[in-house]
């Protein structure tokens, strides 16, 4: 990596879309250490091909990727590679992005920010509309599978400043959403969503 | 359940779509005991609402449903309920339906039957086209999660004649595909896909 862009923010409760050319990489930083960042990647030439958790798990034979793993699309080829991870490596591939239905089920009567709407809003800022909301790679989300069957919801085990680096294997659009979940402690015991940061490396 | 339709076949390597009215139920039978049946459910009034594994896992806090569990849609409400299961209860929610990309990665150069195409073909027989191929509920597919991280691919632990019963909570279209995977032993050590059977109960 010869150069790095300026550090940019993913505002708390919001999403951001970034274009990456093949070979560029994206550093995603858990600035305050307890923030889940839902992430997606779409092939720049065909938004119908995108990073897909149900295909990725088959390709890597794991429920969470580790450094060196390809992050596969629904066409079962790499769109990103996880090339660096300073955190303990706990990420989630099992859970859908939060959405209005999730917050209604939690008792919200009005609108609540959510990662699904953040995906569409972030893509719209680039003039793009994804064909669906794929199940995201939930960076730092801590969903242990206990006894092979049950899942639990815990605060992240990451620390302030931990980061991952994702290298683009295709020209793509990556979307990050700083998850606005503040009704369960998935973004830390304080239940206070924070911003995250990112940097494009090339 | 006051009455049952005739027993019908899901041919080996093929898919079938069935309409269910709310309150009806579908009995799916693993006739020969080692056949994985990929299954989907779409809301009859809105094909954009469908059974979704990444939403279902959040709703039930498990990676596989057990008797009594609601099978949730992408709107996080039940479309089916698993009301009966005579098998040991090992089903999969983690893996995408097989597709041409899966068989190409396994070395196939020509066409290979696959559950994704079976979904679209079965829906087309009813004059319907789903907006996407959601990640299916893979009945009897045996994908243990080991040590909370790694997944393995094993033959089913079900027995000939085992069945599940799915009750419709919404008017819906259910699709079953007798998985044509014959290159890895996910449909039994013989690697010979077989037919399955079903019956509508009302």
């Amino acid at each position: 990596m010869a150069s790095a862009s300026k550090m940019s923010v993913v505002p708390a409760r919001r999403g951001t879309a970034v274009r990456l050319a093949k070979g560029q990489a994206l550093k995603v930083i858990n600035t305050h250490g307890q923030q889940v960042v839902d992430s997606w990647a779409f092939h720049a030439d065909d938004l119908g091909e995108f990073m897909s958790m149900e295909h990725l798990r088959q390709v890597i034979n794991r429920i969470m990727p580790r450094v060196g793993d390809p992050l596969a699309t629904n066409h079962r080829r790499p769109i990103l590679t996880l090339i660096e991870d300073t955190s303990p490596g706990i990420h989630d591939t099992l859970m859908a992005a939060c959405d209005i239905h999730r917050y209604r089920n939690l008792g919200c009567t009005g609108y609540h920010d959510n990662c699904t709407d953040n995906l569409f809003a972030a893509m719209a800022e680039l003039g793009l509309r994804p064909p669906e909301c794929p199940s995201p790679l939930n960076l730092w989300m801590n969903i242990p599978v206990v006894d092979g069957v049950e899942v639990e919801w815990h605060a992240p085990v990451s620390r302030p400043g931990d980061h991952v680096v994702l290298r683009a294997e295709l020209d793509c659009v990556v979307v990050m959403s700083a998850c606005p979940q503040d009704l369960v402690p998935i973004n830390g015991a304080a239940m206070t969503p924070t911003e995250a940061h990112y940097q494009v490396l090339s």
Side-chain angles (χ1 to χ4, degrees), chain A:
Chain A
M1 301 294 162
S3 66
S5 73
K6 68 178 189 345
M7 190 77 74
S8 299
V9 69
V10 184
R13 313 174 73 92
R14 292 284 176 268
T16 307
V18 180
R19 284 186 183 275
L20 295 181
K22 180 179 173 176
Q24 286 188 310
L26 182 68
K27 183 176 181 176
V28 187
I29 302 147
N30 199 338
T31 315
H32 302 282
Q34 293 285 285
Q35 181 60 44
V36 168
V37 179
D38 288 33
S39 60
W40 297 265
F42 297 84
H43 186 1
D45 298 336
D46 172 11
L47 298 184
E49 182 175 1
F50 46 76
M51 183 168 69
S52 168
M53 297 303 104
E54 58 261 35
H55 296 83
L56 176 157
R57 288 187 291 262
Q58 179 268 309
V59 169
I60 66 174
N61 279 323
R62 296 166 59 86
I63 63 165
M64 61 184 84
R66 60 183 160 184
V67 170
D69 277 341
L71 307 183
T73 70
N74 53 339
H75 294 194
R76 303 189 196 248
R77 62 174 177 164
I79 188 165
L80 299 170
T81 301
L82 177 59
I83 60 172
E84 203 174 308
D85 187 354
T86 66
S87 78
I90 301 299
H91 309 288
D92 171 66
T93 71
L94 299 177
M95 295 300 165
C98 61
D99 51 31
I100 52 167
H101 312 292
R102 174 73 162 131
Y103 292 106
R104 274 195 201 137
N105 288 349
L106 285 168
C108 278
T109 51
Y111 183 74
H112 192 289
D113 294 324
N114 63 83
C115 289
T116 300
D117 286 356
N118 284 351
L119 165 65
F120 286 92
M123 293 286 277
E125 285 183 21
L126 299 185
L128 301 173
R129 183 176 171 80
E132 61 183 87
C133 176
S135 200
L137 173 59
N138 296 308
L139 294 169
W140 300 296
M141 190 168 169
N142 184 4
I143 303 282
V145 176
V146 177
D147 295 335
V149 177
E150 298 193 11
V151 297
E152 295 181 349
W153 298 68
H154 290 296
V157 293
S158 41
R159 297 149 302 203
D162 271 342
H163 70 262
V164 298
V165 179
L166 306 167
R167 185 181 64 213
E169 306 298 343
L170 299 168
D171 293 345
C172 62
V173 180
V174 175
V175 179
M176 298 158 278
S177 171
C179 178
Q181 177 60 269
D182 51 7
L183 300 175
V184 301
I186 203 70
N187 290 309
M191 299 204 286
T192 305
T194 61
E195 78 273 22
H197 286 83
Y198 68 95
Q199 204 171 17
V200 175
L201 313 176
S202 54

